[in-house]
Amino acid sequence: MKKILILMGVAMMLCHTSCDSKKEEEKKEEIKLLVTSPLKKDTTAIHEFVSQIRAIQHIELRALEKGYLKKIYVDEGQFVKKGQLMFQILPLQYQAEFQKAQAEANFAEIEYQNTKSLAESNIVSKNELALAKAKWDKAKAEMDLAKVHLGFTEIRAPFDGIMDHFAVREGSLLDDGDLLTTLSDNSKMWVYFNVPESQYLDLKTKAKGTTLPIVKLKMANQDIFTHTGVIQTIEADFNNETGNIAFRATFPNPEKLLRHGETGSILMESPLKNAVIIPQKATFEVLEKKYVFVVDKDNTVKSREITIAAELPDIYIIKSGLKGDEKILLEGIKKVRDNDKIKFDYEDPQKVISHLRVYAE
Protein backbone atom coordinates (compact mmCIF):
# COMPACT_ATOMS: atom_id res chain seq x y z
CA MET A 1 0.00 0.00 0.00
CA LYS A 2 2.83 2.38 0.88
CA LYS A 3 4.55 1.59 -2.44
CA ILE A 4 1.37 2.40 -4.34
CA LEU A 5 1.04 5.73 -2.53
CA ILE A 6 4.70 6.60 -3.27
CA LEU A 7 4.29 5.77 -6.95
CA MET A 8 1.14 7.87 -7.15
CA GLY A 9 2.99 10.80 -5.51
CA VAL A 10 5.90 10.56 -7.94
CA ALA A 11 3.49 10.41 -10.87
CA MET A 12 1.67 13.50 -9.61
CA MET A 13 4.96 15.38 -9.20
CA LEU A 14 6.08 14.48 -12.73
CA CYS A 15 2.72 15.53 -14.10
CA HIS A 16 2.89 18.82 -12.21
CA THR A 17 6.47 19.49 -13.45
CA SER A 18 5.49 18.68 -17.01
CA CYS A 19 2.45 20.95 -16.77
CA ASP A 20 4.57 23.77 -15.33
CA SER A 21 7.13 23.38 -18.14
CA LYS A 22 4.37 23.38 -20.71
CA LYS A 23 2.80 26.47 -19.15
CA GLU A 24 6.21 28.19 -19.10
CA GLU A 25 6.66 27.48 -22.82
CA GLU A 26 3.17 28.73 -23.52
CA LYS A 27 3.87 31.83 -21.44
CA LYS A 28 7.13 32.45 -23.40
CA GLU A 29 5.21 32.18 -26.65
CA GLU A 30 2.62 34.60 -25.32
CA ILE A 31 5.27 37.36 -24.84
CA LYS A 32 5.34 39.40 -28.02
CA LEU A 33 8.68 40.83 -29.13
CA LEU A 34 9.38 43.52 -31.69
CA VAL A 35 10.77 42.49 -35.08
CA THR A 36 11.80 44.49 -38.14
CA SER A 37 13.82 44.07 -41.34
CA PRO A 38 16.96 45.73 -42.71
CA LEU A 39 16.30 48.85 -44.76
CA LYS A 40 17.84 49.16 -48.21
CA LYS A 41 18.40 52.82 -48.99
CA ASP A 42 20.83 55.24 -50.57
CA THR A 43 22.63 56.95 -47.72
CA THR A 44 25.85 58.68 -46.78
CA ALA A 45 28.43 57.15 -44.49
CA ILE A 46 30.48 59.57 -42.41
CA HIS A 47 34.07 58.55 -41.67
CA GLU A 48 35.76 60.27 -38.76
CA PHE A 49 39.52 60.81 -38.47
CA VAL A 50 41.46 62.31 -35.56
CA SER A 51 43.25 65.45 -36.76
CA GLN A 52 45.86 68.02 -35.83
CA ILE A 53 45.19 71.69 -36.65
CA ARG A 54 48.08 73.87 -37.80
CA ALA A 55 48.33 77.51 -38.91
CA ILE A 56 49.15 77.98 -42.58
CA GLN A 57 52.28 79.85 -41.42
CA HIS A 58 53.82 79.34 -37.99
CA ILE A 59 57.36 80.61 -37.47
CA GLU A 60 59.85 81.45 -34.75
CA LEU A 61 61.14 85.02 -34.53
CA ARG A 62 64.78 85.10 -33.46
CA ALA A 63 67.40 87.77 -32.85
CA LEU A 64 69.77 88.35 -35.79
CA GLU A 65 72.31 90.41 -33.85
CA LYS A 66 73.87 90.46 -30.41
CA GLY A 67 72.87 93.16 -27.96
CA TYR A 68 70.43 94.22 -25.27
CA LEU A 69 66.72 94.13 -26.01
CA LYS A 70 65.85 97.81 -25.82
CA LYS A 71 62.10 97.82 -26.48
CA ILE A 72 59.11 95.51 -27.03
CA TYR A 73 56.38 97.24 -29.03
CA VAL A 74 53.74 94.49 -29.02
CA ASP A 75 51.98 92.26 -26.49
CA GLU A 76 51.39 88.54 -26.19
CA GLY A 77 48.37 87.32 -28.16
CA GLN A 78 48.23 90.55 -30.18
CA PHE A 79 47.35 90.58 -33.87
CA VAL A 80 50.16 92.29 -35.81
CA LYS A 81 50.32 93.54 -39.39
CA LYS A 82 53.06 92.76 -41.89
CA GLY A 83 56.01 95.16 -41.41
CA GLN A 84 54.92 96.25 -37.92
CA LEU A 85 57.83 96.91 -35.52
CA MET A 86 57.84 94.29 -32.77
CA PHE A 87 61.26 94.33 -31.04
CA GLN A 88 64.29 96.60 -31.06
CA ILE A 89 67.79 95.66 -30.01
CA LEU A 90 70.00 98.50 -28.65
CA PRO A 91 71.29 100.01 -31.94
CA LEU A 92 74.09 102.32 -30.73
CA GLN A 93 77.00 100.20 -31.93
CA TYR A 94 75.40 99.42 -35.29
CA GLN A 95 74.34 103.05 -35.76
CA ALA A 96 77.96 104.16 -35.24
CA GLU A 97 79.26 101.52 -37.66
CA PHE A 98 76.76 102.66 -40.28
CA GLN A 99 77.72 106.34 -39.88
CA LYS A 100 81.39 105.45 -40.19
CA ALA A 101 80.76 103.41 -43.35
CA GLN A 102 78.62 106.21 -44.76
CA ALA A 103 81.38 108.77 -44.17
CA GLU A 104 83.97 106.53 -45.84
CA ALA A 105 81.65 106.06 -48.81
CA ASN A 106 81.21 109.83 -49.13
CA PHE A 107 84.97 110.34 -48.98
CA ALA A 108 85.54 107.67 -51.65
CA GLU A 109 82.91 109.29 -53.87
CA ILE A 110 84.60 112.71 -53.63
CA GLU A 111 87.95 111.11 -54.39
CA TYR A 112 86.47 109.36 -57.42
CA GLN A 113 84.87 112.54 -58.77
CA ASN A 114 88.20 114.42 -58.44
CA THR A 115 90.07 111.62 -60.16
CA LYS A 116 87.47 111.57 -62.92
CA SER A 117 87.96 115.32 -63.59
CA LEU A 118 91.75 114.83 -63.75
CA ALA A 119 91.36 111.84 -66.07
CA GLU A 120 89.18 113.90 -68.44
CA SER A 121 92.03 116.46 -68.60
CA ASN A 122 94.54 113.65 -69.21
CA ILE A 123 96.34 114.51 -65.97
CA VAL A 124 95.94 111.02 -64.49
CA SER A 125 95.74 107.68 -66.23
CA LYS A 126 92.63 105.56 -66.75
CA ASN A 127 94.05 102.99 -64.33
CA GLU A 128 94.01 105.54 -61.49
CA LEU A 129 90.39 106.38 -62.36
CA ALA A 130 89.45 102.70 -62.28
CA LEU A 131 91.20 102.31 -58.92
CA ALA A 132 89.28 105.28 -57.46
CA LYS A 133 86.02 103.81 -58.80
CA ALA A 134 86.80 100.47 -57.16
CA LYS A 135 87.47 102.15 -53.80
CA TRP A 136 84.15 103.96 -54.01
CA ASP A 137 82.26 100.73 -54.88
CA LYS A 138 83.90 98.97 -51.94
CA ALA A 139 82.96 101.80 -49.58
CA LYS A 140 79.35 101.72 -50.80
CA ALA A 141 79.20 97.94 -50.26
CA GLU A 142 80.51 98.31 -46.71
CA MET A 143 77.94 101.03 -46.05
CA ASP A 144 75.14 98.78 -47.35
CA LEU A 145 76.38 95.96 -45.12
CA ALA A 146 76.44 98.25 -42.09
CA LYS A 147 72.90 99.37 -42.97
CA VAL A 148 71.75 95.74 -43.08
CA HIS A 149 73.25 95.05 -39.65
CA LEU A 150 71.56 98.18 -38.32
CA GLY A 151 68.28 96.96 -39.80
CA PHE A 152 68.67 93.66 -37.93
CA THR A 153 68.25 95.56 -34.67
CA GLU A 154 64.58 96.10 -35.61
CA ILE A 155 62.49 92.93 -35.67
CA ARG A 156 59.37 93.44 -37.81
CA ALA A 157 56.45 91.13 -38.54
CA PRO A 158 57.08 89.19 -41.79
CA PHE A 159 53.32 88.66 -42.29
CA ASP A 160 49.96 89.36 -40.64
CA GLY A 161 49.53 87.07 -37.67
CA ILE A 162 48.99 86.45 -33.96
CA MET A 163 51.77 86.70 -31.40
CA ASP A 164 52.56 83.90 -28.98
CA HIS A 165 54.15 84.41 -25.52
CA PHE A 166 57.48 86.21 -25.12
CA ALA A 167 60.63 84.15 -24.66
CA VAL A 168 62.56 87.27 -23.49
CA ARG A 169 61.89 90.55 -21.67
CA GLU A 170 63.12 94.10 -22.12
CA GLY A 171 66.74 94.44 -21.03
CA SER A 172 67.61 90.83 -21.86
CA LEU A 173 71.07 90.26 -23.32
CA LEU A 174 70.55 88.55 -26.66
CA ASP A 175 72.88 86.43 -28.72
CA ASP A 176 72.59 85.60 -32.42
CA GLY A 177 69.64 83.25 -32.95
CA ASP A 178 67.98 83.67 -29.52
CA LEU A 179 64.23 83.01 -29.65
CA LEU A 180 62.01 86.06 -29.15
CA THR A 181 58.51 84.68 -29.82
CA THR A 182 56.47 82.78 -32.40
CA LEU A 183 54.03 84.19 -34.95
CA SER A 184 51.04 82.39 -36.52
CA ASP A 185 49.09 83.27 -39.62
CA ASN A 186 45.73 81.61 -39.00
CA SER A 187 43.76 83.20 -41.83
CA LYS A 188 43.72 79.65 -43.20
CA MET A 189 44.34 76.43 -41.32
CA TRP A 190 45.98 73.21 -42.39
CA VAL A 191 44.36 70.15 -40.81
CA TYR A 192 46.35 66.91 -40.94
CA PHE A 193 44.76 63.46 -40.56
CA ASN A 194 45.69 59.84 -41.33
CA VAL A 195 43.61 57.61 -43.62
CA PRO A 196 43.83 53.77 -43.67
CA GLU A 197 44.93 52.16 -46.92
CA SER A 198 41.54 50.62 -47.72
CA GLN A 199 39.72 53.94 -47.38
CA TYR A 200 42.42 55.71 -49.36
CA LEU A 201 41.91 53.27 -52.25
CA ASP A 202 38.11 53.66 -52.09
CA LEU A 203 38.48 57.43 -52.07
CA LYS A 204 40.87 57.59 -55.01
CA THR A 205 38.93 55.11 -57.16
CA LYS A 206 35.62 56.91 -56.58
CA ALA A 207 37.06 60.41 -56.99
CA LYS A 208 36.29 62.10 -60.30
CA GLY A 209 39.62 62.99 -61.86
CA THR A 210 41.74 64.79 -59.31
CA THR A 211 38.77 66.15 -57.35
CA LEU A 212 38.69 65.07 -53.70
CA PRO A 213 35.67 65.39 -51.40
CA ILE A 214 34.79 68.38 -49.29
CA VAL A 215 35.31 67.65 -45.58
CA LYS A 216 34.02 69.03 -42.31
CA LEU A 217 35.80 69.64 -39.02
CA LYS A 218 34.40 68.59 -35.66
CA MET A 219 36.08 70.69 -32.97
CA ALA A 220 37.09 69.59 -29.48
CA ASN A 221 33.74 70.76 -28.03
CA GLN A 222 31.93 68.48 -30.54
CA ASP A 223 30.59 71.45 -32.53
CA ILE A 224 31.00 71.41 -36.31
CA PHE A 225 33.20 74.22 -37.63
CA THR A 226 31.21 76.71 -39.71
CA HIS A 227 33.35 76.45 -42.83
CA THR A 228 34.07 73.35 -44.91
CA GLY A 229 37.55 72.30 -45.97
CA VAL A 230 39.16 70.97 -49.12
CA ILE A 231 41.66 68.11 -49.26
CA GLN A 232 44.64 69.55 -51.11
CA THR A 233 47.57 67.32 -50.29
CA ILE A 234 48.21 63.59 -49.86
CA GLU A 235 51.68 62.51 -48.76
CA ALA A 236 53.75 60.31 -51.05
CA ASP A 237 54.31 57.29 -48.79
CA PHE A 238 52.32 55.05 -46.48
CA ASN A 239 53.49 54.53 -42.92
CA ASN A 240 54.43 50.83 -42.87
CA GLU A 241 53.92 50.62 -39.11
CA THR A 242 50.35 51.94 -39.07
CA GLY A 243 49.21 51.28 -42.66
CA ASN A 244 48.02 54.90 -42.91
CA ILE A 245 48.77 57.77 -45.25
CA ALA A 246 48.63 61.44 -44.23
CA PHE A 247 46.13 63.86 -45.79
CA ARG A 248 46.03 67.65 -45.45
CA ALA A 249 42.82 69.68 -45.69
CA THR A 250 42.70 73.48 -45.86
CA PHE A 251 39.99 75.42 -44.01
CA PRO A 252 39.27 79.16 -44.24
CA ASN A 253 39.34 80.80 -40.81
CA PRO A 254 38.03 84.37 -41.25
CA GLU A 255 36.73 84.63 -37.68
CA LYS A 256 40.14 83.47 -36.35
CA LEU A 257 38.38 80.86 -34.21
CA LEU A 258 40.89 78.10 -34.90
CA ARG A 259 44.39 78.38 -33.45
CA HIS A 260 47.64 76.58 -34.13
CA GLY A 261 47.98 73.36 -32.12
CA GLU A 262 44.27 72.57 -31.66
CA THR A 263 42.87 69.09 -32.19
CA GLY A 264 39.64 67.89 -33.75
CA SER A 265 38.16 65.30 -36.08
CA ILE A 266 37.76 65.36 -39.83
CA LEU A 267 34.35 64.20 -41.06
CA MET A 268 34.39 62.76 -44.57
CA GLU A 269 31.14 61.77 -46.26
CA SER A 270 30.96 58.77 -48.56
CA PRO A 271 27.77 58.10 -50.60
CA LEU A 272 26.45 54.51 -50.50
CA LYS A 273 23.99 53.04 -53.01
CA ASN A 274 21.39 50.47 -51.81
CA ALA A 275 23.03 50.24 -48.40
CA VAL A 276 21.67 47.61 -45.97
CA ILE A 277 20.87 49.52 -42.78
CA ILE A 278 19.92 48.19 -39.34
CA PRO A 279 19.59 49.85 -35.92
CA GLN A 280 22.54 49.37 -33.62
CA LYS A 281 20.21 48.24 -30.83
CA ALA A 282 19.29 45.17 -32.92
CA THR A 283 22.84 43.81 -32.50
CA PHE A 284 24.80 42.20 -29.72
CA GLU A 285 28.49 41.49 -29.33
CA VAL A 286 30.35 38.26 -28.54
CA LEU A 287 34.15 38.30 -28.41
CA GLU A 288 34.29 41.57 -30.37
CA LYS A 289 32.09 40.19 -33.15
CA LYS A 290 28.67 41.57 -34.02
CA TYR A 291 25.56 39.36 -34.15
CA VAL A 292 21.84 39.69 -34.76
CA PHE A 293 18.92 37.32 -34.11
CA VAL A 294 17.32 36.37 -37.41
CA VAL A 295 13.68 35.20 -37.29
CA ASP A 296 13.02 32.34 -39.73
CA LYS A 297 9.74 31.32 -41.38
CA ASP A 298 8.84 29.17 -38.34
CA ASN A 299 9.22 32.19 -36.01
CA THR A 300 12.38 30.69 -34.53
CA VAL A 301 15.30 32.97 -33.69
CA LYS A 302 18.84 32.09 -34.70
CA SER A 303 21.96 34.16 -34.02
CA ARG A 304 24.03 35.20 -37.02
CA GLU A 305 27.35 37.01 -37.32
CA ILE A 306 27.37 40.20 -39.40
CA THR A 307 30.15 42.40 -40.79
CA ILE A 308 29.90 46.17 -40.43
CA ALA A 309 30.81 48.35 -43.43
CA ALA A 310 30.24 51.70 -41.71
CA GLU A 311 28.87 53.11 -38.48
CA LEU A 312 26.58 56.12 -38.17
CA PRO A 313 24.82 57.50 -35.10
CA ASP A 314 22.44 54.73 -33.90
CA ILE A 315 22.76 52.58 -37.04
CA TYR A 316 25.08 50.14 -38.76
CA ILE A 317 25.56 49.74 -42.50
CA ILE A 318 26.01 46.04 -43.18
CA LYS A 319 28.76 44.68 -45.40
CA SER A 320 27.77 41.01 -45.17
CA GLY A 321 25.65 38.60 -43.15
CA LEU A 322 22.16 39.96 -43.82
CA LYS A 323 19.79 40.28 -46.75
CA GLY A 324 17.29 43.07 -47.16
CA ASP A 325 14.22 40.79 -46.97
CA GLU A 326 15.08 38.97 -43.72
CA LYS A 327 13.50 39.63 -40.33
CA ILE A 328 15.62 40.50 -37.31
CA LEU A 329 14.81 40.87 -33.64
CA LEU A 330 14.69 44.56 -32.74
CA GLU A 331 13.84 44.47 -29.02
CA GLY A 332 14.04 41.73 -26.42
CA ILE A 333 17.47 40.41 -27.43
CA LYS A 334 18.31 39.49 -23.84
CA LYS A 335 15.05 37.56 -23.43
CA VAL A 336 15.74 34.90 -26.06
CA ARG A 337 18.30 32.25 -26.93
CA ASP A 338 19.13 30.38 -30.11
CA ASN A 339 16.25 28.26 -31.47
CA ASP A 340 13.61 29.89 -29.25
CA LYS A 341 10.23 30.16 -30.89
CA ILE A 342 8.65 33.58 -30.43
CA LYS A 343 5.59 35.62 -31.12
CA PHE A 344 6.21 39.11 -32.41
CA ASP A 345 4.88 42.37 -33.73
CA TYR A 346 6.45 43.55 -36.96
CA GLU A 347 7.45 47.19 -37.37
CA ASP A 348 8.21 48.68 -40.77
CA PRO A 349 11.97 49.36 -41.13
CA GLN A 350 11.34 52.80 -42.64
CA LYS A 351 9.49 53.80 -39.50
CA VAL A 352 12.20 52.34 -37.27
CA ILE A 353 15.02 54.14 -39.06
CA SER A 354 13.11 57.44 -39.22
CA HIS A 355 13.29 57.64 -35.41
CA LEU A 356 17.10 57.27 -35.46
CA ARG A 357 19.75 59.90 -36.12
CA VAL A 358 20.71 59.00 -39.68
CA TYR A 359 21.03 61.12 -42.77
CA ALA A 360 19.57 59.33 -45.76
CA GLU A 361 18.78 60.50 -49.25
Side-chain angles (χ1 to χ4, degrees):
M1 189 68 177
K2 286 183 179 179
K3 288 182 178 180
I4 294 171
L5 290 172
I6 291 170
L7 289 171
M8 287 176 64
V10 171
M12 288 175 67
M13 286 177 64
L14 289 172
C15 181
H16 181 70
T17 304
S18 176
C19 291
D20 285 349
S21 178
K22 190 174 181 180
K23 285 179 182 178
E24 193 173 322
E25 275 187 30
E26 289 175 356
K27 188 176 180 182
K28 181 178 276 188
E29 286 193 8
E30 286 173 4
I31 299 174
K32 283 192 175 182
L33 303 176
L34 195 59
V35 168
T36 189
S37 298
L39 178 67
K40 293 189 74 174
K41 195 175 185 73
D42 293 348
T43 187
T44 302
I46 300 176
H47 303 285
E48 187 169 334
F49 307 95
V50 176
S51 62
Q52 298 290 327
I53 301 170
R54 298 288 183 262
I56 194 169
Q57 291 190 87
H58 180 78
I59 64 167
E60 295 177 339
L61 292 179
R62 295 182 176 272
L64 296 175
E65 294 290 353
K66 297 179 181 179
Y68 286 97
L69 183 59
K70 179 183 178 183
K71 184 71 176 175
I72 298 176
Y73 293 94
V74 288
D75 199 0
E76 296 175 330
Q78 180 181 335
F79 179 80
V80 296
K81 301 289 288 182
K82 181 178 179 179
Q84 182 175 341
L85 181 60
M86 302 172 69
F87 301 91
Q88 186 173 48
I89 299 170
L90 194 64
L92 295 179
Q93 176 185 348
Y94 301 101
Q95 182 71 43
E97 289 178 354
F98 173 69
Q99 290 174 349
K100 177 185 175 184
Q102 191 175 37
E104 289 176 352
N106 291 337
F107 177 79
E109 182 183 7
I110 294 169
E111 192 175 51
Y112 167 72
Q113 295 296 340
N114 290 337
T115 306
K116 184 179 179 183
S117 298
L118 294 172
E120 289 173 352
S121 302
N122 293 321
I123 298 174
V124 298
S125 67
K126 292 182 178 180
N127 287 339
E128 288 187 44
L129 178 63
L131 182 61
K133 180 66 165 60
K135 287 181 179 179
W136 183 34
D137 289 341
K138 179 183 177 184
K140 286 193 296 183
E142 289 177 349
M143 181 184 69
D144 290 340
L145 182 60
K147 186 176 181 180
V148 169
H149 282 286
L150 179 61
F152 285 165
T153 64
E154 292 184 347
I155 312 298
R156 296 180 180 272
F159 51 79
D160 295 353
I162 298 176
M163 293 271 300
D164 197 9
H165 67 274
F166 296 139
V168 292
R169 295 293 183 270
E170 288 185 6
S172 299
L173 178 60
L174 302 177
D175 203 350
D176 293 349
D178 281 354
L179 178 66
L180 303 175
T181 187
T182 57
L183 185 66
S184 297
D185 175 6
N186 64 345
S187 58
K188 293 181 181 179
M189 305 302 289
W190 282 345
V191 182
Y192 294 87
F193 58 102
N194 293 320
V195 176
E197 185 175 355
S198 59
Q199 291 181 344
Y200 161 80
L201 293 172
D202 288 343
L203 181 65
K204 291 295 287 183
T205 52
K206 292 176 183 177
K208 297 179 181 178
T210 57
T211 304
L212 291 171
I214 301 296
V215 294
K216 296 180 181 179
L217 176 64
K218 183 165 72 174
M219 298 179 291
N221 63 353
Q222 305 304 307
D223 287 346
I224 304 300
F225 185 54
T226 308
H227 305 280
T228 56
V230 180
I231 298 173
Q232 292 185 325
T233 300
I234 303 175
E235 284 192 2
D237 301 326
F238 276 88
N239 186 321
N240 292 330
E241 294 181 359
T242 63
N244 295 334
I245 190 168
F247 279 51
R248 189 190 79 198
T250 302
F251 284 80
N253 189 33
E255 296 85 11
K256 305 294 188 291
L257 176 62
L258 300 179
R259 297 291 182 103
H260 180 86
E262 285 188 78
T263 59
S265 297
I266 286 290
L267 304 179
M268 187 186 299
E269 296 182 352
S270 174
L272 299 172
K273 295 291 184 182
N274 292 320
V276 178
I277 301 170
I278 65 170
Q280 288 189 16
K281 65 179 182 179
T283 67
F284 61 97
E285 190 171 311
V286 178
L287 298 177
E288 298 184 353
K289 294 181 178 180
K290 300 288 185 188
Y291 291 84
V292 294
F293 278 119
V294 179
V295 183
D296 65 15
K297 60 183 179 180
D298 299 322
N299 297 344
T300 301
V301 295
K302 295 184 182 295
S303 63
R304 186 187 298 173
E305 184 182 351
I306 57 172
T307 305
I308 308 300
E311 180 178 347
L312 282 76
D314 294 338
I315 73 165
Y316 288 130
I317 297 172
I318 305 303
K319 184 177 182 180
S320 62
L322 267 183
K323 297 177 182 177
D325 56 352
E326 293 183 296
K327 293 184 177 68
I328 58 172
L329 191 60
L330 180 62
E331 293 180 357
I333 291 174
K334 294 183 179 180
K335 297 178 181 179
V336 299
R337 292 176 295 180
D338 261 343
N339 300 315
D340 280 352
K341 195 168 184 178
I342 64 168
K343 287 188 176 182
F344 60 83
D345 290 323
Y346 181 81
E347 188 164 350
D348 183 78
Q350 183 67 54
K351 184 180 177 182
V352 173
I353 297 298
S354 67
H355 290 87
L356 303 176
R357 293 177 296 162
V358 56
Y359 173 74
E361 296 175 342

